[in-house]
Amino acid sequence: LDLSGNALGPAGARSLAPGLRRLGLLQRLTLRNAGLGDDGACALASIFPALPSLVGLNLRHNHITLQGAVCIGRTLSLLTGLQELDLGSNRLSERRSSAAARPATPADPKAKAKPGNAKSKAGGGKEAKGKPRPTPAAVGGGGDAGGASEFQVFAHALAQLANLRMVDLGDNRLGAAGTTCLCAAIAQLPSLEVVVVRGNACGEAGAAALAKALPSLQGQLRVLDVADNRLGESGARALAETLGTLAVLEALDLEWNALGGGGVTELARAFTGMPALAWLNLAGTGLGAVGAAAIAEALPALSQLTGLNLSNNALGPTGVSAVSKSLESLVRMKELKVSNNQMAASGAQSLAPALYSMKDLHVLDVSSNLLGTIGVTTLSEALVHLKKLQVLVVGQNSLRETGMAKLTSVLPKLKILHTLNLQRNDIGDEGIIHLSGALSQMPGLRNLNIGNNSFADRGMSTLSASLQKLLHLERLDVDHIGCKSVEVLESMSGALPNLRCSTAHKANVVSYALRPVTPPTKHLADWTLKTM
Protein backbone atom coordinates (compact mmCIF):
# COMPACT_ATOMS: atom_id res chain seq x y z
CA LEU A 1 0.00 0.00 0.00
CA ASP A 2 1.52 3.32 -1.11
CA LEU A 3 -0.13 6.56 0.01
CA SER A 4 2.92 8.79 -0.35
CA GLY A 5 2.57 12.52 -0.91
CA ASN A 6 -1.07 12.68 0.20
CA ALA A 7 -0.72 15.13 3.11
CA LEU A 8 -2.68 12.83 5.39
CA GLY A 9 -1.50 14.60 8.51
CA PRO A 10 -2.00 13.19 12.03
CA ALA A 11 -5.79 13.12 11.64
CA GLY A 12 -5.56 11.16 8.41
CA ALA A 13 -3.20 8.67 10.01
CA ARG A 14 -5.58 8.15 12.92
CA SER A 15 -8.48 7.61 10.50
CA LEU A 16 -6.40 5.20 8.43
CA ALA A 17 -5.22 3.10 11.35
CA PRO A 18 -8.42 1.05 11.91
CA GLY A 19 -8.52 0.04 8.25
CA LEU A 20 -4.85 -0.93 8.25
CA ARG A 21 -5.41 -3.01 11.34
CA ARG A 22 -7.62 -5.32 9.27
CA LEU A 23 -4.91 -5.85 6.61
CA GLY A 24 -3.08 -8.61 8.43
CA LEU A 25 -1.40 -9.85 5.24
CA LEU A 26 -0.05 -6.43 4.24
CA GLN A 27 3.61 -6.75 3.27
CA ARG A 28 4.65 -3.20 2.37
CA LEU A 29 3.44 0.13 3.72
CA THR A 30 4.74 3.36 2.19
CA LEU A 31 3.64 6.70 3.61
CA ARG A 32 6.50 8.87 2.41
CA ASN A 33 5.96 12.64 2.71
CA ALA A 34 2.47 12.30 4.14
CA GLY A 35 2.76 14.94 6.89
CA LEU A 36 2.27 12.39 9.66
CA GLY A 37 4.16 14.17 12.42
CA ASP A 38 4.61 12.53 15.82
CA ASP A 39 0.88 12.00 16.42
CA GLY A 40 0.49 10.23 13.09
CA ALA A 41 3.57 8.11 13.74
CA CYS A 42 2.19 7.09 17.13
CA ALA A 43 -1.18 6.17 15.58
CA LEU A 44 0.55 3.92 13.07
CA ALA A 45 2.83 2.40 15.69
CA SER A 46 -0.23 1.31 17.67
CA ILE A 47 -1.28 -1.05 14.86
CA PHE A 48 2.12 -2.69 14.26
CA PRO A 49 1.08 -5.74 16.32
CA ALA A 50 -1.71 -6.34 13.76
CA LEU A 51 0.71 -6.40 10.80
CA PRO A 52 2.83 -9.53 11.31
CA SER A 53 3.48 -9.95 7.57
CA LEU A 54 5.02 -6.51 7.04
CA VAL A 55 8.44 -6.69 5.35
CA GLY A 56 8.79 -3.07 4.19
CA LEU A 57 7.99 0.17 6.07
CA ASN A 58 8.68 3.63 4.63
CA LEU A 59 7.87 6.69 6.74
CA ARG A 60 10.41 8.98 5.10
CA HIS A 61 10.05 12.76 5.24
CA ASN A 62 7.22 12.98 7.77
CA HIS A 63 8.50 15.48 10.37
CA ILE A 64 8.75 12.75 12.98
CA THR A 65 10.73 13.92 16.02
CA LEU A 66 12.14 12.13 19.05
CA GLN A 67 8.65 11.70 20.51
CA GLY A 68 7.46 9.86 17.42
CA ALA A 69 10.62 7.74 17.35
CA VAL A 70 9.93 6.61 20.91
CA CYS A 71 6.33 5.66 19.98
CA ILE A 72 7.60 3.64 17.05
CA GLY A 73 10.24 2.03 19.23
CA ARG A 74 7.64 0.68 21.66
CA THR A 75 6.07 -1.63 19.06
CA LEU A 76 8.66 -1.85 16.28
CA SER A 77 10.18 -5.05 17.64
CA LEU A 78 6.84 -6.81 17.04
CA LEU A 79 7.42 -6.56 13.27
CA THR A 80 9.63 -9.62 13.40
CA GLY A 81 9.58 -10.15 9.62
CA LEU A 82 10.56 -6.57 8.73
CA GLN A 83 13.34 -6.42 6.16
CA GLU A 84 13.37 -2.76 5.03
CA LEU A 85 12.94 0.30 7.25
CA ASP A 86 13.16 3.88 5.95
CA LEU A 87 12.84 6.74 8.44
CA GLY A 88 15.14 9.09 6.56
CA SER A 89 14.69 12.88 6.36
CA ASN A 90 12.72 13.25 9.58
CA ARG A 91 13.62 15.13 12.76
CA LEU A 92 14.68 12.35 15.06
CA SER A 93 17.26 14.63 16.71
CA GLU A 94 14.63 17.10 17.92
CA ARG A 95 12.35 17.16 20.92
CA ARG A 96 9.06 19.03 20.67
CA SER A 97 7.97 21.19 23.56
CA SER A 98 4.70 20.17 25.21
CA ALA A 99 2.88 23.10 23.59
CA ALA A 100 4.08 22.13 20.14
CA ALA A 101 3.21 18.49 20.74
CA ARG A 102 -0.39 19.23 21.79
CA PRO A 103 -2.72 18.70 18.79
CA ALA A 104 -4.98 21.62 18.02
CA THR A 105 -8.69 21.08 18.68
CA PRO A 106 -11.75 23.03 17.51
CA ALA A 107 -12.09 24.36 21.06
CA ASP A 108 -8.65 25.88 20.87
CA PRO A 109 -9.05 29.43 19.50
CA LYS A 110 -5.43 29.51 18.41
CA ALA A 111 -6.07 26.63 16.03
CA LYS A 112 -8.36 28.75 13.85
CA ALA A 113 -6.25 31.85 14.18
CA LYS A 114 -3.20 30.12 12.71
CA PRO A 115 -4.12 28.34 9.49
CA GLY A 116 -0.43 28.18 8.62
CA ASN A 117 0.12 25.51 11.27
CA ALA A 118 -1.32 22.70 9.18
CA LYS A 119 0.73 23.73 6.20
CA SER A 120 3.87 23.74 8.29
CA LYS A 121 3.15 20.22 9.58
CA ALA A 122 2.64 18.95 6.05
CA GLY A 123 6.04 20.15 5.03
CA GLY A 124 5.33 23.48 3.35
CA GLY A 125 5.27 27.09 4.42
CA LYS A 126 6.69 28.82 7.46
CA GLU A 127 5.83 28.08 11.04
CA ALA A 128 3.24 30.41 12.50
CA LYS A 129 4.57 33.29 14.50
CA GLY A 130 4.76 32.50 18.18
CA LYS A 131 4.54 28.74 17.69
CA PRO A 132 7.06 26.90 19.91
CA ARG A 133 9.87 25.44 17.83
CA PRO A 134 11.28 21.94 18.28
CA THR A 135 14.46 21.90 20.32
CA PRO A 136 17.45 19.65 19.64
CA ALA A 137 17.64 16.68 21.95
CA ALA A 138 20.86 15.21 23.27
CA VAL A 139 20.97 12.76 20.40
CA GLY A 140 21.72 15.70 18.18
CA GLY A 141 24.45 17.00 20.42
CA GLY A 142 22.24 19.26 22.56
CA GLY A 143 22.22 19.55 26.31
CA ASP A 144 19.13 17.43 27.11
CA ALA A 145 20.63 14.42 28.88
CA GLY A 146 17.36 12.50 28.61
CA GLY A 147 17.27 12.68 24.83
CA ALA A 148 19.90 10.02 24.27
CA SER A 149 18.21 7.61 26.69
CA GLU A 150 14.86 8.14 24.94
CA PHE A 151 16.38 7.47 21.55
CA GLN A 152 17.71 4.22 22.99
CA VAL A 153 14.08 3.02 23.18
CA PHE A 154 13.98 3.17 19.39
CA ALA A 155 17.51 1.83 18.96
CA HIS A 156 16.82 -1.12 21.27
CA ALA A 157 13.70 -2.04 19.27
CA LEU A 158 15.67 -1.75 16.04
CA ALA A 159 18.23 -4.21 17.36
CA GLN A 160 15.46 -6.84 17.77
CA LEU A 161 14.68 -6.94 14.03
CA ALA A 162 16.72 -10.01 13.21
CA ASN A 163 15.60 -10.15 9.57
CA LEU A 164 16.32 -6.49 8.75
CA ARG A 165 18.25 -6.09 5.50
CA MET A 166 17.98 -2.33 4.87
CA VAL A 167 17.85 0.61 7.27
CA ASP A 168 17.78 4.28 6.27
CA LEU A 169 18.02 6.85 9.05
CA GLY A 170 19.77 9.45 6.93
CA ASP A 171 19.27 13.20 7.23
CA ASN A 172 18.04 13.12 10.80
CA ARG A 173 20.88 15.09 12.42
CA LEU A 174 21.31 12.48 15.13
CA GLY A 175 24.66 13.87 16.16
CA ALA A 176 27.42 11.86 17.80
CA ALA A 177 25.30 10.48 20.68
CA GLY A 178 22.38 9.43 18.50
CA THR A 179 24.64 7.86 15.90
CA THR A 180 26.44 5.96 18.66
CA CYS A 181 23.10 4.53 19.87
CA LEU A 182 22.18 3.62 16.34
CA CYS A 183 25.51 1.93 15.63
CA ALA A 184 25.19 -0.16 18.78
CA ALA A 185 21.91 -1.48 17.35
CA ILE A 186 23.38 -1.98 13.88
CA ALA A 187 26.15 -4.11 15.36
CA GLN A 188 23.49 -6.60 16.50
CA LEU A 189 21.99 -6.96 13.02
CA PRO A 190 24.39 -9.10 10.98
CA SER A 191 21.75 -9.56 8.26
CA LEU A 192 21.99 -5.89 7.19
CA GLU A 193 22.90 -5.35 3.55
CA VAL A 194 22.14 -1.62 3.22
CA VAL A 195 22.94 1.04 5.84
CA VAL A 196 22.21 4.73 5.18
CA VAL A 197 23.25 7.19 7.89
CA ARG A 198 24.07 10.23 5.76
CA GLY A 199 23.38 13.76 6.94
CA ASN A 200 23.56 13.06 10.68
CA ALA A 201 26.48 15.34 11.66
CA CYS A 202 27.97 12.45 13.61
CA GLY A 203 31.54 13.77 13.51
CA GLU A 204 34.60 11.87 14.65
CA ALA A 205 32.84 10.18 17.59
CA GLY A 206 30.04 8.89 15.35
CA ALA A 207 32.59 7.64 12.82
CA ALA A 208 34.39 5.75 15.60
CA ALA A 209 31.09 4.14 16.70
CA LEU A 210 30.31 3.13 13.12
CA ALA A 211 33.79 1.72 12.68
CA LYS A 212 33.24 -0.41 15.78
CA ALA A 213 29.96 -1.78 14.37
CA LEU A 214 31.15 -2.56 10.83
CA PRO A 215 33.07 -5.79 11.55
CA SER A 216 29.82 -7.51 12.58
CA LEU A 217 28.42 -6.74 9.10
CA GLN A 218 31.44 -7.75 7.06
CA GLY A 219 29.83 -10.83 5.53
CA GLN A 220 26.62 -9.11 4.34
CA LEU A 221 26.93 -5.33 3.98
CA ARG A 222 26.73 -4.25 0.31
CA VAL A 223 25.75 -0.55 0.52
CA LEU A 224 27.06 2.03 3.00
CA ASP A 225 26.15 5.73 2.87
CA VAL A 226 27.88 8.02 5.39
CA ALA A 227 27.84 11.19 3.27
CA ASP A 228 27.64 14.68 4.78
CA ASN A 229 28.58 13.73 8.34
CA ARG A 230 31.43 16.11 9.22
CA LEU A 231 33.81 13.19 9.51
CA GLY A 232 36.98 15.17 8.85
CA GLU A 233 40.40 13.54 8.68
CA SER A 234 40.08 11.99 12.16
CA GLY A 235 36.77 10.35 11.28
CA ALA A 236 38.25 9.09 8.02
CA ARG A 237 41.10 7.45 9.91
CA ALA A 238 38.65 5.80 12.32
CA LEU A 239 36.60 4.35 9.45
CA ALA A 240 39.68 3.27 7.53
CA GLU A 241 40.56 0.82 10.29
CA THR A 242 37.56 -1.39 9.56
CA LEU A 243 36.32 -0.49 6.07
CA GLY A 244 38.89 -2.82 4.60
CA THR A 245 37.11 -5.78 6.22
CA LEU A 246 33.97 -5.25 4.11
CA ALA A 247 34.92 -7.68 1.37
CA VAL A 248 31.43 -7.77 -0.21
CA LEU A 249 30.72 -4.01 -0.12
CA GLU A 250 29.51 -2.82 -3.52
CA ALA A 251 28.63 0.86 -2.97
CA LEU A 252 30.24 3.45 -0.69
CA ASP A 253 29.19 7.11 -0.40
CA LEU A 254 31.51 9.49 1.49
CA GLU A 255 30.69 12.77 -0.29
CA TRP A 256 30.79 16.16 1.44
CA ASN A 257 32.84 15.09 4.42
CA ALA A 258 35.97 17.31 4.13
CA LEU A 259 38.20 14.28 4.52
CA GLY A 260 41.20 16.11 3.14
CA GLY A 261 44.21 14.58 1.47
CA GLY A 262 45.37 12.89 4.69
CA GLY A 263 42.03 11.29 5.46
CA VAL A 264 41.60 10.05 1.91
CA THR A 265 45.11 8.61 1.98
CA GLU A 266 44.10 6.46 4.96
CA LEU A 267 40.85 5.41 3.32
CA ALA A 268 42.56 4.59 0.04
CA ARG A 269 44.53 1.87 1.78
CA ALA A 270 41.25 0.37 3.00
CA PHE A 271 39.78 0.44 -0.51
CA THR A 272 42.29 -2.16 -1.61
CA GLY A 273 40.58 -4.64 0.75
CA MET A 274 37.18 -4.12 -0.91
CA PRO A 275 37.41 -6.13 -4.16
CA ALA A 276 33.63 -6.09 -4.80
CA LEU A 277 33.34 -2.28 -4.72
CA ALA A 278 31.44 -1.14 -7.81
CA TRP A 279 30.33 2.43 -6.91
CA LEU A 280 32.40 5.03 -5.04
CA ASN A 281 31.39 8.62 -4.30
CA LEU A 282 34.12 10.96 -3.04
CA ALA A 283 32.63 14.23 -4.32
CA GLY A 284 33.39 17.30 -2.22
CA THR A 285 35.79 15.54 0.14
CA GLY A 286 38.73 17.90 -0.38
CA LEU A 287 41.00 15.46 -2.16
CA GLY A 288 43.27 17.95 -3.88
CA ALA A 289 46.33 16.66 -5.66
CA VAL A 290 47.52 14.71 -2.58
CA GLY A 291 44.28 12.78 -2.19
CA ALA A 292 44.11 12.22 -5.95
CA ALA A 293 47.51 10.55 -5.86
CA ALA A 294 46.36 8.23 -3.06
CA ILE A 295 43.16 7.33 -4.92
CA ALA A 296 45.17 6.70 -8.07
CA GLU A 297 47.21 4.08 -6.22
CA ALA A 298 44.09 2.31 -4.94
CA LEU A 299 42.01 2.31 -8.15
CA PRO A 300 43.80 -0.59 -9.95
CA ALA A 301 42.72 -2.90 -7.10
CA LEU A 302 39.04 -2.02 -7.70
CA SER A 303 38.57 -4.05 -10.86
CA GLN A 304 34.77 -4.23 -10.40
CA LEU A 305 34.31 -0.45 -10.22
CA THR A 306 31.55 0.82 -12.51
CA GLY A 307 30.82 4.24 -10.98
CA LEU A 308 33.19 6.93 -9.65
CA ASN A 309 32.38 10.48 -8.53
CA LEU A 310 35.35 12.77 -7.86
CA SER A 311 33.56 16.07 -8.50
CA ASN A 312 34.21 19.26 -6.52
CA ASN A 313 37.67 18.30 -5.33
CA ALA A 314 40.01 20.89 -6.87
CA LEU A 315 42.15 18.13 -8.37
CA GLY A 316 43.73 20.45 -10.91
CA PRO A 317 45.59 19.16 -13.97
CA THR A 318 48.07 17.28 -11.75
CA GLY A 319 45.40 15.41 -9.79
CA VAL A 320 43.38 14.62 -12.90
CA SER A 321 46.50 13.29 -14.58
CA ALA A 322 47.28 10.97 -11.64
CA VAL A 323 43.76 9.55 -11.51
CA SER A 324 43.46 9.23 -15.29
CA LYS A 325 46.43 6.88 -15.54
CA SER A 326 44.73 4.47 -13.13
CA LEU A 327 41.33 4.83 -14.81
CA GLU A 328 42.71 3.23 -17.96
CA SER A 329 42.59 -0.17 -16.22
CA LEU A 330 38.92 0.19 -15.15
CA VAL A 331 37.30 -1.18 -18.28
CA ARG A 332 33.93 -1.81 -16.56
CA MET A 333 33.32 1.88 -15.85
CA LYS A 334 29.78 3.06 -16.64
CA GLU A 335 29.62 6.39 -14.79
CA LEU A 336 32.42 8.93 -14.37
CA LYS A 337 31.94 12.34 -12.78
CA VAL A 338 34.85 14.74 -12.50
CA SER A 339 33.04 18.11 -12.62
CA ASN A 340 34.38 21.30 -11.02
CA ASN A 341 37.98 20.15 -10.71
CA GLN A 342 39.90 22.91 -12.49
CA MET A 343 40.93 20.34 -15.08
CA ALA A 344 41.75 22.80 -17.88
CA ALA A 345 42.96 21.73 -21.31
CA SER A 346 46.05 19.92 -19.96
CA GLY A 347 43.89 17.82 -17.63
CA ALA A 348 41.60 16.94 -20.54
CA GLN A 349 44.62 15.70 -22.46
CA SER A 350 45.38 13.34 -19.55
CA LEU A 351 41.78 12.14 -19.24
CA ALA A 352 41.21 11.42 -22.94
CA PRO A 353 43.36 8.22 -23.11
CA ALA A 354 41.41 6.77 -20.17
CA LEU A 355 38.11 7.37 -21.99
CA TYR A 356 39.30 5.26 -24.91
CA SER A 357 39.32 2.20 -22.63
CA MET A 358 35.83 2.83 -21.19
CA LYS A 359 33.80 1.20 -23.93
CA ASP A 360 30.79 0.69 -21.60
CA LEU A 361 30.61 4.26 -20.24
CA HIS A 362 27.01 5.49 -19.90
CA VAL A 363 27.45 8.77 -18.00
CA LEU A 364 30.23 11.37 -18.32
CA ASP A 365 30.23 14.67 -16.40
CA VAL A 366 33.14 17.04 -17.07
CA SER A 367 31.26 20.29 -16.41
CA SER A 368 32.83 23.39 -14.83
CA ASN A 369 36.40 22.47 -15.72
CA LEU A 370 37.70 25.39 -17.80
CA LEU A 371 38.17 23.11 -20.80
CA GLY A 372 37.92 25.77 -23.46
CA THR A 373 38.21 24.98 -27.17
CA ILE A 374 41.44 22.97 -26.84
CA GLY A 375 40.15 20.82 -23.98
CA VAL A 376 36.83 19.98 -25.59
CA THR A 377 38.57 19.21 -28.89
CA THR A 378 40.78 16.68 -27.11
CA LEU A 379 37.83 15.04 -25.34
CA SER A 380 35.70 15.03 -28.50
CA GLU A 381 38.22 12.78 -30.21
CA ALA A 382 37.75 10.26 -27.37
CA LEU A 383 33.95 10.61 -27.28
CA VAL A 384 33.66 9.03 -30.71
CA HIS A 385 34.63 5.70 -29.14
CA LEU A 386 31.97 5.84 -26.40
CA LYS A 387 29.23 4.07 -28.34
CA LYS A 388 27.17 3.37 -25.19
CA LEU A 389 27.20 6.93 -23.82
CA GLN A 390 23.73 8.04 -22.71
CA VAL A 391 24.39 11.16 -20.62
CA LEU A 392 26.94 13.88 -21.44
CA VAL A 393 27.42 16.96 -19.24
CA VAL A 394 29.87 19.58 -20.49
CA GLY A 395 28.27 22.75 -19.14
CA GLN A 396 30.22 25.82 -18.02
CA ASN A 397 33.41 25.13 -19.96
CA SER A 398 33.74 28.23 -22.16
CA LEU A 399 33.32 26.21 -25.37
CA ARG A 400 32.18 29.17 -27.44
CA GLU A 401 31.54 28.79 -31.16
CA THR A 402 34.77 26.98 -32.11
CA GLY A 403 34.54 24.42 -29.31
CA MET A 404 30.90 23.85 -30.12
CA ALA A 405 31.74 23.22 -33.76
CA LYS A 406 34.16 20.46 -32.77
CA LEU A 407 31.81 18.86 -30.23
CA THR A 408 28.80 18.84 -32.53
CA SER A 409 30.82 17.07 -35.22
CA VAL A 410 30.91 13.95 -33.01
CA LEU A 411 27.53 14.15 -31.21
CA PRO A 412 25.55 12.39 -34.00
CA LYS A 413 27.87 9.41 -33.62
CA LEU A 414 26.62 8.87 -30.06
CA LYS A 415 23.57 6.94 -31.22
CA ILE A 416 21.95 6.27 -27.83
CA LEU A 417 22.69 9.63 -26.15
CA HIS A 418 19.49 10.80 -24.45
CA THR A 419 20.69 13.61 -22.16
CA LEU A 420 22.92 16.53 -23.19
CA ASN A 421 23.86 19.46 -20.96
CA LEU A 422 25.59 22.41 -22.66
CA GLN A 423 24.58 25.26 -20.35
CA ARG A 424 26.74 28.33 -19.72
CA ASN A 425 29.18 27.89 -22.61
CA ASP A 426 28.72 31.23 -24.37
CA ILE A 427 28.23 29.51 -27.72
CA GLY A 428 26.14 32.32 -29.25
CA ASP A 429 24.03 32.11 -32.40
CA GLU A 430 26.77 30.41 -34.42
CA GLY A 431 27.20 27.72 -31.79
CA ILE A 432 23.45 27.11 -31.72
CA ILE A 433 23.44 26.78 -35.51
CA HIS A 434 26.19 24.12 -35.24
CA LEU A 435 24.12 22.33 -32.57
CA SER A 436 21.00 22.46 -34.75
CA GLY A 437 22.77 20.53 -37.48
CA ALA A 438 23.75 17.82 -35.02
CA LEU A 439 20.32 17.58 -33.38
CA SER A 440 18.67 16.72 -36.68
CA GLN A 441 20.69 13.49 -36.55
CA MET A 442 19.90 12.69 -32.89
CA PRO A 443 16.25 11.58 -32.84
CA GLY A 444 16.60 9.74 -29.51
CA LEU A 445 17.50 12.83 -27.46
CA ARG A 446 15.15 13.28 -24.49
CA ASN A 447 16.75 15.97 -22.32
CA LEU A 448 18.54 19.08 -23.60
CA ASN A 449 19.92 21.97 -21.54
CA ILE A 450 21.23 24.96 -23.50
CA GLY A 451 20.56 27.66 -20.92
CA ASN A 452 22.67 30.80 -20.54
CA ASN A 453 24.45 30.58 -23.89
CA SER A 454 24.16 34.12 -25.25
CA PHE A 455 22.17 33.28 -28.37
CA ALA A 456 19.41 35.38 -29.82
CA ASP A 457 16.41 35.04 -32.13
CA ARG A 458 18.48 34.05 -35.19
CA GLY A 459 19.92 31.03 -33.42
CA MET A 460 16.55 30.05 -31.98
CA SER A 461 14.86 30.20 -35.38
CA THR A 462 17.40 27.72 -36.74
CA LEU A 463 17.17 25.54 -33.64
CA SER A 464 13.39 25.24 -33.72
CA ALA A 465 13.41 23.33 -37.01
CA SER A 466 15.71 20.69 -35.52
CA LEU A 467 13.78 20.51 -32.25
CA GLN A 468 10.61 19.55 -34.09
CA LYS A 469 12.34 16.38 -35.24
CA LEU A 470 13.07 15.31 -31.67
CA LEU A 471 9.85 13.40 -31.15
CA HIS A 472 11.09 11.86 -27.89
CA LEU A 473 12.13 15.16 -26.30
CA GLU A 474 10.98 15.29 -22.68
CA ARG A 475 12.72 18.38 -21.37
CA LEU A 476 14.24 21.51 -22.87
CA ASP A 477 15.93 24.10 -20.66
CA VAL A 478 16.48 27.52 -22.21
CA ASP A 479 17.36 30.62 -20.16
CA HIS A 480 17.80 34.29 -21.02
CA ILE A 481 16.15 34.44 -24.44
CA GLY A 482 14.03 37.15 -26.00
CA CYS A 483 10.27 37.21 -26.40
CA LYS A 484 10.47 36.42 -30.11
CA SER A 485 12.42 33.26 -29.33
CA VAL A 486 9.75 32.26 -26.83
CA GLU A 487 7.12 32.69 -29.53
CA VAL A 488 9.15 30.45 -31.83
CA LEU A 489 9.24 27.71 -29.20
CA GLU A 490 5.54 28.05 -28.45
CA SER A 491 4.78 27.62 -32.13
CA MET A 492 6.17 24.08 -31.93
CA SER A 493 3.10 22.86 -30.07
CA GLY A 494 1.71 21.43 -33.30
CA ALA A 495 4.76 19.27 -33.98
CA LEU A 496 5.12 18.29 -30.32
CA PRO A 497 1.54 18.32 -29.00
CA ASN A 498 2.50 16.96 -25.57
CA LEU A 499 5.04 19.70 -24.89
CA ARG A 500 4.16 21.56 -21.71
CA CYS A 501 5.51 25.07 -21.21
CA SER A 502 6.30 26.74 -17.91
CA THR A 503 7.51 30.32 -18.29
CA ALA A 504 8.74 32.24 -15.26
CA HIS A 505 9.44 35.37 -17.32
CA LYS A 506 9.48 35.38 -21.09
CA ALA A 507 12.53 37.59 -21.33
CA ASN A 508 14.43 35.65 -18.72
CA VAL A 509 13.65 31.96 -18.07
CA VAL A 510 11.81 29.38 -20.15
CA SER A 511 11.54 25.70 -19.27
CA TYR A 512 9.69 23.10 -21.32
CA ALA A 513 8.84 19.63 -20.11
CA LEU A 514 6.71 16.76 -21.36
CA ARG A 515 6.62 15.03 -17.99
CA PRO A 516 8.77 14.77 -14.84
CA VAL A 517 12.16 13.44 -15.79
CA THR A 518 14.03 10.89 -13.71
CA PRO A 519 17.52 12.26 -13.02
CA PRO A 520 19.89 10.50 -15.42
CA THR A 521 22.64 10.16 -12.85
CA LYS A 522 22.67 7.30 -10.39
CA HIS A 523 22.39 8.16 -6.70
CA LEU A 524 22.85 5.72 -3.88
CA ALA A 525 19.08 5.48 -3.42
CA ASP A 526 18.83 4.16 -6.97
CA TRP A 527 21.55 1.65 -6.24
CA THR A 528 19.73 0.54 -3.09
CA LEU A 529 16.49 -0.10 -4.96
CA LYS A 530 18.32 -1.99 -7.69
CA THR A 531 20.28 -4.21 -5.36
CA MET A 532 17.37 -4.91 -3.03
Side-chain angles (χ1 to χ4, degrees):
L1 178 63
D2 189 342
L3 295 174
S4 300
N6 275 298
L8 300 177
R14 287 191 292 269
S15 299
L16 186 65
L20 291 176
R21 191 184 298 274
R22 294 193 289 270
L23 302 178
L25 298 179
L26 187 66
Q27 295 187 346
R28 292 184 180 277
L29 178 59
T30 302
L31 292 169
R32 183 178 61 251
N33 192 26
L36 300 182
D38 289 334
D39 293 339
C42 291
L44 288 175
S46 69
I47 65 165
F48 286 168
L51 302 175
S53 300
L54 204 65
V55 297
L57 177 62
N58 188 331
L59 299 179
R60 187 178 190 85
H61 206 306
N62 271 296
H63 306 283
I64 300 171
T65 71
L66 183 61
Q67 177 184 332
V70 171
C71 280
I72 292 173
R74 288 173 181 150
T75 56
L76 185 64
S77 61
L78 299 177
L79 301 177
T80 55
L82 197 66
Q83 298 180 22
E84 303 170 21
L85 175 63
D86 189 343
L87 278 167
S89 299
N90 280 293
R91 300 178 180 178
L92 301 188
S93 66
E94 297 178 353
R95 181 197 300 281
R96 292 192 306 171
S97 67
S98 58
R102 186 182 68 247
T105 63
D108 186 353
K110 294 183 180 180
K112 292 184 179 180
K114 298 179 180 178
N117 286 0
K119 185 176 181 180
S120 177
K121 289 182 180 180
K126 298 180 180 179
E127 294 185 10
K129 183 177 179 181
K131 179 180 178 180
R133 298 175 62 86
T135 56
V139 294
D144 183 356
S149 61
E150 286 185 83
F151 187 74
Q152 285 178 349
V153 173
F154 172 80
H156 178 73
L158 183 68
Q160 309 305 309
L161 303 177
N163 294 307
L164 199 64
R165 295 172 57 202
M166 187 277 280
V167 60
D168 186 342
L169 287 176
D171 297 306
N172 273 294
R173 298 294 167 187
L174 298 180
T179 302
T180 299
C181 287
L182 176 61
C183 290
I186 287 174
Q188 300 179 57
L189 297 170
S191 61
L192 277 173
E193 298 179 28
V194 178
V195 173
V196 180
V197 290
R198 68 182 296 132
N200 277 307
C202 70
E204 178 184 351
L210 180 60
K212 186 176 179 180
L214 288 179
S216 64
L217 310 179
Q218 60 184 348
Q220 291 289 116
L221 192 64
R222 295 185 296 115
V223 177
L224 177 62
D225 185 347
V226 288
D228 190 19
N229 264 305
R230 305 178 187 174
L231 299 185
E233 290 198 15
S234 298
R237 292 190 180 97
L239 277 179
E241 295 178 4
T242 55
L243 269 181
T245 66
L246 304 178
V248 299
L249 193 71
E250 297 176 6
L252 176 62
D253 195 336
L254 290 163
E255 73 173 343
W256 301 117
N257 269 304
L259 306 176
V264 172
T265 298
E266 296 291 331
L267 287 170
R269 298 191 183 101
F271 293 160
T272 59
M274 301 156 67
L277 196 65
W279 194 81
L280 176 62
N281 188 353
L282 291 171
T285 52
L287 297 184
V290 174
I295 292 297
E297 290 185 16
L299 285 178
L302 304 178
S303 60
Q304 302 301 310
L305 202 65
T306 60
L308 178 64
N309 189 344
L310 298 177
S311 298
N312 303 295
N313 273 304
L315 301 183
T318 302
V320 171
S321 177
V323 171
S324 296
K325 292 176 182 177
S326 297
L327 286 175
E328 293 182 30
S329 63
L330 302 179
V331 296
R332 296 174 179 266
M333 191 68 68
K334 293 183 178 180
E335 178 178 326
L336 177 62
K337 295 183 178 180
V338 286
S339 66
N340 196 23
N341 271 306
Q342 304 166 18
M343 184 186 302
S346 57
Q349 290 174 345
S350 300
L351 180 61
L355 295 180
Y356 281 99
S357 64
M358 299 180 187
K359 305 297 184 182
D360 292 329
L361 198 66
H362 292 174
V363 177
L364 176 62
D365 185 350
V366 291
S367 59
S368 304
N369 268 305
L370 309 173
L371 297 181
T373 299
I374 297 176
V376 77
T377 298
T378 302
L379 290 181
S380 294
E381 294 170 355
L383 288 177
V384 177
H385 301 275
L386 303 180
K387 304 298 184 183
K388 297 183 180 180
L389 195 66
Q390 300 175 25
V391 178
L392 177 60
V393 185
V394 288
Q396 205 161 346
N397 272 303
S398 300
L399 302 188
R400 298 189 170 84
E401 176 193 342
T402 51
M404 198 63 195
K406 183 58 182 179
L407 180 61
T408 54
S409 69
V410 302
L411 286 178
K413 299 176 183 179
L414 305 177
K415 300 298 184 182
I416 61 174
L417 191 74
H418 62 66
T419 297
L420 178 61
N421 188 322
L422 297 167
Q423 66 175 336
R424 296 182 181 275
N425 272 302
D426 195 24
I427 62 177
D429 282 336
E430 295 302 322
I432 284 292
I433 291 172
H434 287 304
L435 176 62
S436 299
L439 291 178
S440 63
Q441 304 173 62
M442 303 170 64
L445 197 66
R446 300 202 302 266
N447 308 292
L448 176 62
N449 189 335
I450 50 175
N452 289 277
N453 267 303
S454 306
F455 60 89
D457 296 338
R458 184 168 69 94
M460 181 55 72
S461 296
T462 304
L463 179 65
S464 63
S466 296
L467 289 177
Q468 294 184 51
K469 298 178 182 179
L470 301 179
L471 300 180
H472 299 287
L473 192 66
E474 295 175 355
R475 185 173 187 88
L476 171 64
D477 290 304
V478 187
D479 302 340
H480 295 89
I481 60 175
C483 292
K484 185 176 180 180
S485 294
V486 173
E487 292 171 0
V488 170
L489 286 174
E490 290 175 342
S491 69
M492 296 192 316
S493 59
L496 299 172
N498 295 321
L499 197 63
R500 186 171 67 251
C501 175
S502 175
T503 306
H505 190 289
K506 284 191 173 184
N508 184 36
V509 178
V510 179
S511 179
Y512 288 80
L514 283 166
R515 53 183 176 274
V517 181
T518 301
T521 53
K522 179 190 293 181
H523 299 289
L524 195 55
D526 300 320
W527 183 280
T528 301
L529 291 174
K530 178 181 177 182
T531 55
M532 290 301 289

